[in-house]
Amino acid sequence: MSVLGENTFENVLLKNQSVEITFGDGNKIKFEDCWLRDHCRCQNCYHADTFQRAKHILDIPDSRIGSFRFDKSELVIIWDDKHESSYSPDFLSQFDYTKWSNSRKLSPKLWAGPPVMEKVAKVQVNEFLNTEEGAKRVFQSILDYGFVLIEGVEPSLAGTEKICQALGGVQHTLFGGMWEFTTKAVHADTAYTNIALDAHNDNTYFTEAAGLQILHCLEHVNGTGGETLLVDGFYGATRLKEEYPEDYEFLTKFNVEAEFVETEHNHKYSAPVIRVNSDTQDLVQIRYNVFDRTAMAFEDGEKCRAYYRSLRNLGRYYQDPGNQWQFKLKPGTVLAMDNFRVLHGRTAFTGSRTLGGSYVSRSDWLDRARTLGLIN
Ligand SMILES: C[N+](C)(C)CCCC[C@H](N)C(=O)O
Ligand SMILES: O=C(O)CCC(=O)C(=O)O
């Protein structure tokens, strides 16, 4: 791929309502006239200071290319309504479809079980908060493995909040912004107890689940247990696709309804357990939480049985201890995990245990990763 500022125009051919451009890096791309007019970057067509289009799509003339001229560094199109548009080779050469669509793909590194412990990043809090290199390591670990550990954090909600802000900002939900939870039943949810919680994704009952879940064990005294378990939701879905393709197909299409119900709230949402990108079929999100499922009616017995068979077959990968990483979160270490991919749970515990943390929206953490140059 050419370095920015090095590509050139080598040849431009007018072909009916499109132009075929050969660039200095040897690549050839065909542009339709409607696309070229829409991407005129003159001050009447584009607000360069806000990166926004200046015209409604209905106000972009349906014009034809009258003539054009070019040299190595500029292509000028004179439209049949006399408007002139200038393009650089670096701008246009971005729009090779394969290169453009690949530049938007994420590349998760699937994992199964404890070996991930050696791969996931463990970043000191000052490195994360005060250096670009540290911030890049944090977000790259989330992009690669779906989670990261940040160490040396002040074991308080305030100390944890600094991490949540740096990850993209605190996402407010019915549970609050920054939350601390214990076995005090402040919400009608088993998280606010001391029982074991099998691996799950949070917020399957929200129209958009939290992007990241941040957990920090602030204290655990006079008791045992309360170990965290993580499993790669994308690994399980990939195994299901290989070994039970019809169940994978079902879970990418069938809408499973989930709920969160308490006195002041009644959330419901229905969506596939496995969400894939409709263009690339790449995995986008896992919404696996068998505890928050609502009681559903089924169109027929076949769908009902497919629902149970496929949720069980997928659940076996997630419940397999060989695919899980189980560890004890200790005060000072913050776990940030991608709630669109990694399932989490905990073992039962005794004693007094306080967890602090927050959610961070997917938009906000991807925004940080993008501004660090890690993704497009
Ligand atoms: C994280 N915090 C304790 C605030 C809320 C927990 C809610 C858990 C819910 N059963 C779900 O899976 O979404
Ligand atoms: O208590 C824990 O370690 C995790 C609780 C949990 O799964 C959640 O809050 O979603």
Side-chain angles (χ1 to χ4, degrees), residues 179 181 189 191 193 197-198 200 202 213 215 226-228 329 344-346 349 353 355 359:
W179 18 257
F181 61 100
D189 190 278
T193 70
L197 299 176
D198 288 328
H200 63 278
D202 271 22
Q213 176 157 352
L215 292 178
E227 299 212 332
T228 296
L329 268 177
H344 65 281
R346 69 160 184 238
F349 63 90
R353 179 176 182 266
L355 252 67
Y359 293 128

mmCIF file of all heavy atoms in Angstrom, residues 179 181 189 191 193 197-198 200 202 213 215 226-228 329 344-346 349 353 355 359, ligand 2:
data_model
loop_
_atom_site.group_PDB
_atom_site.id
_atom_site.type_symbol
_atom_site.label_atom_id
_atom_site.label_comp_id
_atom_site.label_asym_id
_atom_site.label_seq_id
_atom_site.Cartn_x
_atom_site.Cartn_y
_atom_site.Cartn_z
ATOM 1 N N TRP A 179 -20.775 1.826 39.299
ATOM 2 C CA TRP A 179 -21.542 1.104 40.314
ATOM 3 C C TRP A 179 -20.605 0.320 41.240
ATOM 4 O O TRP A 179 -19.506 -0.042 40.876
ATOM 5 C CB TRP A 179 -22.578 0.135 39.713
ATOM 6 C CG TRP A 179 -22.437 -0.272 38.290
ATOM 7 C CD1 TRP A 179 -23.164 0.199 37.230
ATOM 8 C CD2 TRP A 179 -21.539 -1.253 37.738
ATOM 9 N NE1 TRP A 179 -22.774 -0.425 36.062
ATOM 10 C CE2 TRP A 179 -21.767 -1.312 36.359
ATOM 11 C CE3 TRP A 179 -20.548 -2.077 38.308
ATOM 12 C CZ2 TRP A 179 -21.076 -2.177 35.510
ATOM 13 C CZ3 TRP A 179 -19.849 -2.914 37.468
ATOM 14 C CH2 TRP A 179 -20.126 -2.964 36.078
ATOM 15 N N PHE A 181 -21.245 -3.104 43.670
ATOM 16 C CA PHE A 181 -22.289 -4.023 44.074
ATOM 17 C C PHE A 181 -21.779 -5.094 45.026
ATOM 18 O O PHE A 181 -20.612 -5.487 44.968
ATOM 19 C CB PHE A 181 -23.031 -4.626 42.872
ATOM 20 C CG PHE A 181 -22.183 -5.441 41.926
ATOM 21 C CD1 PHE A 181 -22.197 -6.838 42.014
ATOM 22 C CD2 PHE A 181 -21.409 -4.830 40.958
ATOM 23 C CE1 PHE A 181 -21.452 -7.589 41.122
ATOM 24 C CE2 PHE A 181 -20.659 -5.590 40.064
ATOM 25 C CZ PHE A 181 -20.674 -6.969 40.153
ATOM 26 N N ASP A 189 -31.621 -8.898 40.663
ATOM 27 C CA ASP A 189 -30.733 -9.619 39.769
ATOM 28 C C ASP A 189 -29.768 -10.469 40.589
ATOM 29 O O ASP A 189 -29.286 -10.049 41.642
ATOM 30 C CB ASP A 189 -29.942 -8.642 38.889
ATOM 31 C CG ASP A 189 -29.208 -9.389 37.793
ATOM 32 O OD1 ASP A 189 -28.125 -9.917 38.072
ATOM 33 O OD2 ASP A 189 -29.757 -9.501 36.689
ATOM 34 N N ALA A 191 -26.807 -11.054 40.194
ATOM 35 C CA ALA A 191 -25.456 -10.493 40.404
ATOM 36 C C ALA A 191 -25.338 -9.961 41.826
ATOM 37 O O ALA A 191 -24.256 -9.966 42.426
ATOM 38 C CB ALA A 191 -25.181 -9.382 39.388
ATOM 39 N N THR A 193 -26.168 -11.183 44.578
ATOM 40 C CA THR A 193 -26.244 -12.293 45.538
ATOM 41 C C THR A 193 -24.835 -12.892 45.635
ATOM 42 O O THR A 193 -23.894 -12.353 45.052
ATOM 43 C CB THR A 193 -27.190 -13.415 45.036
ATOM 44 O OG1 THR A 193 -26.549 -14.078 43.913
ATOM 45 C CG2 THR A 193 -28.544 -12.870 44.595
ATOM 46 N N LEU A 197 -22.507 -17.628 39.081
ATOM 47 C CA LEU A 197 -23.150 -17.155 37.846
ATOM 48 C C LEU A 197 -22.420 -17.802 36.678
ATOM 49 O O LEU A 197 -21.221 -17.554 36.485
ATOM 50 C CB LEU A 197 -23.062 -15.631 37.741
ATOM 51 C CG LEU A 197 -23.742 -14.826 38.861
ATOM 52 C CD1 LEU A 197 -23.480 -13.338 38.660
ATOM 53 C CD2 LEU A 197 -25.238 -15.104 38.903
ATOM 54 N N ASP A 198 -23.116 -18.628 35.924
ATOM 55 C CA ASP A 198 -22.480 -19.240 34.753
ATOM 56 C C ASP A 198 -22.190 -18.179 33.702
ATOM 57 O O ASP A 198 -22.781 -17.097 33.701
ATOM 58 C CB ASP A 198 -23.402 -20.328 34.168
ATOM 59 C CG ASP A 198 -23.461 -21.559 35.061
ATOM 60 O OD1 ASP A 198 -22.438 -21.857 35.730
ATOM 61 O OD2 ASP A 198 -24.527 -22.194 35.125
ATOM 62 N N HIS A 200 -21.963 -15.658 30.861
ATOM 63 C CA HIS A 200 -23.045 -14.953 30.142
ATOM 64 C C HIS A 200 -22.535 -13.626 29.612
ATOM 65 O O HIS A 200 -21.512 -13.107 30.074
ATOM 66 C CB HIS A 200 -24.223 -14.698 31.092
ATOM 67 C CG HIS A 200 -23.854 -13.800 32.238
ATOM 68 N ND1 HIS A 200 -23.217 -14.258 33.388
ATOM 69 C CD2 HIS A 200 -23.980 -12.449 32.397
ATOM 70 C CE1 HIS A 200 -22.999 -13.238 34.200
ATOM 71 N NE2 HIS A 200 -23.447 -12.132 33.630
ATOM 72 N N ASP A 202 -23.808 -9.632 29.352
ATOM 73 C CA ASP A 202 -24.768 -8.761 30.020
ATOM 74 C C ASP A 202 -25.688 -8.076 29.019
ATOM 75 O O ASP A 202 -25.361 -7.946 27.840
ATOM 76 C CB ASP A 202 -24.021 -7.665 30.809
ATOM 77 C CG ASP A 202 -23.698 -8.149 32.226
ATOM 78 O OD1 ASP A 202 -23.663 -9.376 32.431
ATOM 79 O OD2 ASP A 202 -23.482 -7.293 33.098
ATOM 80 N N GLN A 213 -17.563 -4.224 29.812
ATOM 81 C CA GLN A 213 -17.891 -4.280 31.233
ATOM 82 C C GLN A 213 -16.576 -4.197 32.005
ATOM 83 O O GLN A 213 -15.627 -4.919 31.674
ATOM 84 C CB GLN A 213 -18.636 -5.559 31.607
ATOM 85 C CG GLN A 213 -18.878 -5.646 33.112
ATOM 86 C CD GLN A 213 -20.029 -6.537 33.517
ATOM 87 O OE1 GLN A 213 -20.769 -7.007 32.661
ATOM 88 N NE2 GLN A 213 -20.217 -6.764 34.800
ATOM 89 N N LEU A 215 -14.799 -4.500 35.634
ATOM 90 C CA LEU A 215 -14.981 -5.056 36.979
ATOM 91 C C LEU A 215 -13.704 -4.884 37.797
ATOM 92 O O LEU A 215 -12.601 -5.192 37.318
ATOM 93 C CB LEU A 215 -15.349 -6.543 36.915
ATOM 94 C CG LEU A 215 -16.721 -6.907 36.323
ATOM 95 C CD1 LEU A 215 -16.888 -8.422 36.282
ATOM 96 C CD2 LEU A 215 -17.869 -6.270 37.118
ATOM 97 N N GLY A 226 -15.821 -16.602 44.714
ATOM 98 C CA GLY A 226 -15.955 -15.342 43.969
ATOM 99 C C GLY A 226 -14.907 -15.191 42.891
ATOM 100 O O GLY A 226 -14.463 -14.092 42.578
ATOM 101 N N GLU A 227 -14.486 -16.342 42.312
ATOM 102 C CA GLU A 227 -13.512 -16.272 41.210
ATOM 103 C C GLU A 227 -14.237 -15.879 39.919
ATOM 104 O O GLU A 227 -15.378 -16.264 39.691
ATOM 105 C CB GLU A 227 -12.800 -17.610 41.038
ATOM 106 C CG GLU A 227 -12.023 -18.006 42.276
ATOM 107 C CD GLU A 227 -10.773 -18.818 41.933
ATOM 108 O OE1 GLU A 227 -10.774 -19.496 40.888
ATOM 109 O OE2 GLU A 227 -9.810 -18.757 42.711
ATOM 110 N N THR A 228 -13.529 -15.129 39.081
ATOM 111 C CA THR A 228 -14.083 -14.703 37.795
ATOM 112 C C THR A 228 -13.808 -15.772 36.754
ATOM 113 O O THR A 228 -12.725 -16.374 36.760
ATOM 114 C CB THR A 228 -13.412 -13.375 37.366
ATOM 115 O OG1 THR A 228 -13.760 -12.375 38.339
ATOM 116 C CG2 THR A 228 -13.872 -12.929 35.990
ATOM 117 N N LEU A 329 -10.056 -12.067 40.844
ATOM 118 C CA LEU A 329 -9.795 -10.633 40.732
ATOM 119 C C LEU A 329 -9.405 -10.102 42.113
ATOM 120 O O LEU A 329 -10.115 -10.336 43.099
ATOM 121 C CB LEU A 329 -11.048 -9.899 40.240
ATOM 122 C CG LEU A 329 -11.207 -9.701 38.737
ATOM 123 C CD1 LEU A 329 -12.537 -9.033 38.439
ATOM 124 C CD2 LEU A 329 -10.053 -8.896 38.168
ATOM 125 N N HIS A 344 -18.727 -13.731 30.724
ATOM 126 C CA HIS A 344 -18.107 -13.739 32.052
ATOM 127 C C HIS A 344 -19.067 -14.376 33.057
ATOM 128 O O HIS A 344 -20.282 -14.428 32.825
ATOM 129 C CB HIS A 344 -17.764 -12.319 32.489
ATOM 130 C CG HIS A 344 -18.986 -11.482 32.666
ATOM 131 N ND1 HIS A 344 -19.670 -10.918 31.608
ATOM 132 C CD2 HIS A 344 -19.691 -11.126 33.775
ATOM 133 C CE1 HIS A 344 -20.714 -10.259 32.053
ATOM 134 N NE2 HIS A 344 -20.761 -10.376 33.361
ATOM 135 N N GLY A 345 -18.497 -14.799 34.170
ATOM 136 C CA GLY A 345 -19.309 -15.348 35.250
ATOM 137 C C GLY A 345 -18.476 -15.329 36.513
ATOM 138 O O GLY A 345 -17.414 -14.693 36.556
ATOM 139 N N ARG A 346 -18.952 -16.030 37.546
ATOM 140 C CA ARG A 346 -18.176 -16.095 38.781
ATOM 141 C C ARG A 346 -18.546 -17.363 39.527
ATOM 142 O O ARG A 346 -19.631 -17.926 39.340
ATOM 143 C CB ARG A 346 -18.465 -14.872 39.655
ATOM 144 C CG ARG A 346 -19.855 -14.873 40.231
ATOM 145 C CD ARG A 346 -20.055 -13.987 41.455
ATOM 146 N NE ARG A 346 -21.414 -14.159 41.946
ATOM 147 C CZ ARG A 346 -22.308 -13.150 42.065
ATOM 148 N NH1 ARG A 346 -21.968 -11.899 41.752
ATOM 149 N NH2 ARG A 346 -23.528 -13.376 42.487
ATOM 150 N N PHE A 349 -19.587 -17.511 46.332
ATOM 151 C CA PHE A 349 -18.619 -17.033 47.329
ATOM 152 C C PHE A 349 -19.282 -16.872 48.689
ATOM 153 O O PHE A 349 -20.506 -16.808 48.805
ATOM 154 C CB PHE A 349 -17.984 -15.704 46.881
ATOM 155 C CG PHE A 349 -18.949 -14.546 46.746
ATOM 156 C CD1 PHE A 349 -19.215 -13.695 47.828
ATOM 157 C CD2 PHE A 349 -19.577 -14.301 45.537
ATOM 158 C CE1 PHE A 349 -20.095 -12.625 47.694
ATOM 159 C CE2 PHE A 349 -20.450 -13.220 45.399
ATOM 160 C CZ PHE A 349 -20.716 -12.390 46.487
ATOM 161 N N ARG A 353 -18.010 -9.233 49.812
ATOM 162 C CA ARG A 353 -17.332 -8.973 48.520
ATOM 163 C C ARG A 353 -17.952 -7.750 47.871
ATOM 164 O O ARG A 353 -19.160 -7.690 47.671
ATOM 165 C CB ARG A 353 -17.475 -10.202 47.638
ATOM 166 C CG ARG A 353 -16.862 -10.145 46.247
ATOM 167 C CD ARG A 353 -17.046 -11.513 45.597
ATOM 168 N NE ARG A 353 -16.476 -11.646 44.266
ATOM 169 C CZ ARG A 353 -17.144 -11.456 43.132
ATOM 170 N NH1 ARG A 353 -18.409 -11.040 43.187
ATOM 171 N NH2 ARG A 353 -16.565 -11.637 41.945
ATOM 172 N N LEU A 355 -17.679 -5.347 44.457
ATOM 173 C CA LEU A 355 -17.132 -5.117 43.115
ATOM 174 C C LEU A 355 -17.515 -3.724 42.648
ATOM 175 O O LEU A 355 -18.672 -3.305 42.848
ATOM 176 C CB LEU A 355 -17.688 -6.157 42.122
ATOM 177 C CG LEU A 355 -16.675 -7.207 41.677
ATOM 178 C CD1 LEU A 355 -16.306 -8.102 42.856
ATOM 179 C CD2 LEU A 355 -17.194 -8.031 40.531
ATOM 180 N N TYR A 359 -20.138 0.197 32.856
ATOM 181 C CA TYR A 359 -20.153 -0.191 31.454
ATOM 182 C C TYR A 359 -19.537 0.951 30.645
ATOM 183 O O TYR A 359 -19.498 2.092 31.111
ATOM 184 C CB TYR A 359 -21.600 -0.406 30.984
ATOM 185 C CG TYR A 359 -22.332 -1.584 31.594
ATOM 186 C CD1 TYR A 359 -23.575 -1.403 32.187
ATOM 187 C CD2 TYR A 359 -21.793 -2.867 31.568
ATOM 188 C CE1 TYR A 359 -24.285 -2.484 32.726
ATOM 189 C CE2 TYR A 359 -22.496 -3.957 32.112
ATOM 190 C CZ TYR A 359 -23.731 -3.757 32.680
ATOM 191 O OH TYR A 359 -24.419 -4.817 33.222
HETATM 192 O O1 LIG B 2 -19.751 -10.741 40.592
HETATM 193 C C1 LIG B 2 -19.071 -10.927 39.582
HETATM 194 O O2 LIG B 2 -17.891 -11.281 39.601
HETATM 195 C C2 LIG B 2 -19.707 -10.730 38.202
HETATM 196 C C3 LIG B 2 -21.156 -10.377 38.278
HETATM 197 C C4 LIG B 2 -21.734 -10.414 36.873
HETATM 198 O O3 LIG B 2 -21.676 -11.379 36.174
HETATM 199 C C5 LIG B 2 -22.350 -9.214 36.329
HETATM 200 O O4 LIG B 2 -22.393 -8.228 37.055
HETATM 201 O O5 LIG B 2 -22.791 -9.278 35.175
#
